[in-house]
Amino acid sequence: MSQPNVEHRLTEDPTTWIDSKGQDEHIEDLKHVTIDNVNDSEAAPYLDHTIIIDERENKRLKRMIDRRILPLLCLAYFAQAMDKGATSPISIMGWLEDVNASGQDYALSSTVLWIGLVAGNPVASQLIRRFPVAKVLAASMLVWTGLAFWLTFTLNVPQILANRAILGFFEASFNPCLVTIMVQWYLSSEQAVISAVWHSFTSLSTCLQSVMGYGFYHVRHDNSGGLKSWQYLLLTAACISAVSTIAVFFFLPDSPTRARWADEELKTKFVERVRSNNQGIKQKIWKSDQAWETAKDPQVYALFALTFCQTLVIGGVGKFSALLINKAFGFDVATSQLLKIPVSAVGVSAYFLMAYLQQKYEQTFFTMIAFTLLNMIGTIVIVCVPPSNKTRVGLMIAFLLLQFFGACNTATSVVLSRNIAGQTKKSIAYATTFMAWGAGNAVSPQLFWNTWAPRYIPSLYIHLGLYATYIILALATRTMLVRRNDKKEAARNMRDGEEVQANLHAFEDLTDLQNPDYKYSI
């Protein structure tokens, strides 16, 4: 039989083919055909846009990815959340007194971590673009595991600040790595739920830390040199990080095409499954035109502003949660540790509620605004109601409402992953957005002045202003993206009479503005 007319089949609807050969044979015919303008070096050997993945097969592939990839993303996120957040529960376990912290030292221990993250983000972003992403993640985890062990035995403030700054620098790779991996494996329509799943492990880590804090708080020690209660907690967190590092290094593939457990046909299906994302798999070559487009794109600045504004709030709320519950609301230390469990539970619920509403209504920005309003209500209650034995339960309920704003972080990650294309542009946009994330978290503890303790009322007034700013930014960003979608739709409608197959530009390493098939998530 003669070779099929490949040029014709590149534009023809595959569902209309009538041929004596089976689908598997068609795949073999096209396996070695070079498609023009394919710039994705990772995906190129596995491209076959004629492959048909029906709903049943799509679900089978997703189950496989969920089973082999998602648990490793969750484990990695859990480990870094344990390391990064461990100073919150130990702040009421005698740690501050043992290291002779005073004034703004506690707030500064968080600020320097995020300054380190801001400094490390440009480096991390380019490492991810040039090198295997899972190996970049594992190498970073190895370093911060060592730092976690070091912190356990550090008893002076200067060394603690140095430890946290270096930790932040190496944790800079973390969120860009996970977003990059998510885009490689998951469809845009799936990313809201997947992002919620691994983000929820921040709250789960807080829950475990609370249980550990409660348990280790009752471990008494003398002055004979034994470990103190807070050291047991830090040591446990470091051991969890070590186990996670080993698992990620050996079992997390760098891309769908490098999964050792997948055969050639399965790798092709994984690549073609995400064609509709129009974002490709990986391209190492730097493109100056994409860098220039990123510098001019208002969407990148909008994502920076949204992320910075949000983390100015959640960074401080997370850092000072134990102190607020203990000192401001009047609960004892042991109870304060246990009360962080419902705080974590509400945080997890908020992540999944955000994902559900995003997926059901496809209105990400309106959902973000709704969650922001819940935080405003909780903040107003805490400001207006003085603490007492009669009101502290109500204040705790109001504090639970403050956990909903944290879920906006997952929404921003999804907007970032869905709305930015082009490998060079993505590397810069990811870096700038996560620099905003680090900068906001760096500044946020400094909004809680020691002289404003224990209720930090001025801090909460600042938060109310930030909520209002966030809502305005969300509305403005949504309006911009709606107009971009309308413009692309109008351009497609003008091409009437042309036979156009969707997503043929998916692996050409085009930006979201360059690709005519691209649709922005709102």
Side-chain angles (χ1 to χ4, degrees):
M1 183 177 290
S2 62
Q3 190 78 358
N5 187 332
V6 175
E7 183 179 356
H8 172 66
R9 289 175 57 181
L10 291 180
T11 57
E12 186 182 17
D13 184 351
T15 60
T16 64
W17 294 350
I18 301 175
D19 195 286
S20 60
K21 302 181 76 173
Q23 182 180 322
D24 291 341
E25 291 173 285
H26 279 308
I27 292 173
E28 290 303 317
D29 281 339
L30 294 176
K31 198 71 170 180
H32 304 291
V33 173
T34 301
I35 308 297
D36 290 339
N37 300 321
V38 173
N39 293 313
D40 193 316
S41 55
E42 195 80 11
Y46 296 93
L47 291 182
D48 181 5
H49 76 286
T50 64
I51 196 170
I52 300 172
I53 301 176
D54 59 23
E55 186 62 24
R56 182 178 178 181
E57 178 68 358
N58 185 56
K59 289 181 179 179
R60 185 183 77 88
L61 294 173
K62 185 178 182 298
R63 284 195 300 269
M64 197 178 299
I65 297 167
D66 288 344
R67 190 168 60 248
R68 292 181 177 269
I69 303 301
L70 186 56
L72 293 169
L73 299 184
C74 293
L75 183 62
Y77 205 82
F78 181 76
Q80 71 90 31
M82 286 289 291
D83 291 343
K84 189 163 55 188
T87 55
S88 179
I90 66 175
S91 66
I92 56 175
M93 295 173 66
W95 177 62
L96 296 178
E97 293 76 13
D98 289 338
V99 301
N100 296 315
S102 60
Q104 287 295 104
D105 286 344
Y106 177 61
L108 193 59
S109 70
S110 178
T111 296
V112 295
L113 182 147
W114 295 104
I115 290 174
L117 189 140
V118 171
N121 251 305
V123 177
S125 185
Q126 295 312 309
L127 288 175
I128 292 167
R129 184 178 63 84
R130 292 175 60 86
F131 298 103
V133 62
K135 299 304 180 289
V136 173
L137 177 60
S140 300
M141 292 178 68
L142 179 63
V143 173
W144 83 57
T145 297
L147 292 168
F149 281 109
W150 174 25
L151 183 64
T152 303
F153 303 100
T154 302
L155 295 174
N156 64 79
V157 171
Q159 286 191 28
I160 289 171
L161 297 181
N163 179 290
R164 302 298 280 177
I166 300 170
L167 179 70
F169 186 88
F170 282 93
E171 283 197 359
S173 65
F174 193 78
N175 267 295
C177 278
L178 264 62
V179 172
T180 299
I181 294 168
M182 180 176 68
V183 171
Q184 288 179 342
W185 289 92
Y186 286 99
L187 296 172
S188 292
S189 58
E190 299 163 348
Q191 290 172 15
V193 173
I194 297 306
S195 180
V197 170
W198 49 265
H199 272 98
S200 69
F201 276 74
T202 297
S203 295
L204 291 175
S205 73
T206 302
C207 183
L208 179 60
Q209 286 170 351
S210 300
V211 173
M212 289 164 53
Y214 178 80
F216 289 135
Y217 178 71
H218 292 88
V219 175
R220 301 302 176 186
H221 64 277
D222 52 32
N223 295 322
S224 61
L227 291 179
K228 300 182 180 183
S229 58
W230 58 266
Q231 286 179 305
Y232 282 111
L233 191 152
L234 291 179
L235 188 61
T236 304
C239 290
I240 291 173
S241 184
V243 172
S244 304
T245 301
I246 294 170
V248 168
F249 180 81
F250 285 105
F251 299 111
L252 183 62
D254 294 299
S255 74
T257 65
R258 299 193 185 193
R260 291 192 298 269
W261 43 265
D263 59 25
E264 298 299 288
E265 181 180 355
L266 197 55
K267 290 177 182 178
T268 299
K269 289 181 178 180
F270 283 141
V271 170
E272 287 297 330
R273 183 176 179 272
V274 295
R275 176 182 284 274
S276 61
N277 289 355
N278 282 292
Q279 293 181 305
I281 301 294
K282 192 177 183 73
Q283 169 58 274
K284 298 180 181 180
I285 298 174
W286 175 270
K287 294 187 176 180
S288 298
D289 62 319
Q290 290 192 14
W292 179 237
E293 179 183 308
T294 309
K296 296 187 297 181
D297 190 351
Q299 182 190 190
V300 175
Y301 295 98
L303 288 171
F304 181 98
L306 282 166
T307 304
F308 182 70
C309 191
Q310 190 224 3
T311 50
L312 279 175
V313 174
I314 62 172
V317 170
K319 183 72 173 178
F320 285 83
S321 58
L323 290 173
L324 283 168
I325 296 170
N326 177 218
K327 305 292 185 182
F329 302 161
F331 293 97
D332 60 64
V333 172
T335 304
S336 297
Q337 295 285 18
L338 291 178
L339 282 173
K340 291 190 72 178
I341 296 176
V343 170
S344 302
V346 171
V348 171
S349 301
Y351 286 131
F352 285 102
L353 180 60
M354 170 68 79
Y356 169 77
L357 294 174
Q358 280 181 273
Q359 196 166 44
K360 182 175 178 61
Y361 297 106
E362 298 183 350
Q363 294 292 341
T364 299
F365 287 97
F366 286 154
T367 308
M368 292 160 65
I369 291 169
F371 277 42
T372 306
L373 293 174
L374 289 175
N375 261 61
M376 294 184 78
I377 293 170
T379 302
I380 291 170
V381 171
I382 294 173
V383 167
C384 296
V385 177
S388 68
N389 288 336
K390 293 182 178 180
T391 62
R392 63 183 183 178
V393 173
L395 289 170
M396 190 64 213
I397 293 172
F399 187 74
L400 293 178
L401 289 179
L402 267 59
Q403 310 313 306
F404 281 86
F405 197 48
C408 292
N409 187 35
T410 67
T412 306
S413 293
V414 171
V415 171
L416 177 65
S417 66
R418 286 179 174 180
N419 289 348
I420 301 290
Q423 297 297 325
T424 300
K425 184 175 182 179
K426 282 199 298 184
S427 70
I428 301 172
Y430 285 8
T432 55
T433 302
F434 290 119
M435 283 175 68
W437 182 63
N441 277 295
V443 175
S444 59
Q446 302 305 321
L447 301 181
F448 286 75
W449 283 92
N450 192 48
T451 53
W452 296 342
R455 293 181 66 195
Y456 299 100
I457 297 298
S459 307
L460 299 177
Y461 278 126
I462 295 171
H463 284 186
L464 288 172
L466 290 170
Y467 293 138
T469 304
Y470 187 84
I471 290 172
I472 294 171
L473 285 169
L475 289 172
T477 307
R478 185 184 185 278
T479 300
M480 175 180 60
L481 296 179
V482 167
R483 289 177 177 174
R484 288 189 178 184
N485 280 339
D486 291 343
K487 186 176 180 180
K488 284 181 179 286
E489 182 63 28
R492 281 193 291 269
N493 292 337
M494 289 179 64
R495 291 183 288 173
D496 51 355
E498 289 186 33
E499 226 182 286
V500 179
Q501 182 173 328
N503 304 318
L504 279 179
H505 305 286
F507 298 99
E508 295 181 14
D509 194 28
L510 299 178
T511 69
D512 50 284
L513 290 173
Q514 293 169 343
N515 191 339
D517 295 329
Y518 207 88
K519 183 176 181 180
Y520 293 96
S521 171
I522 59 170

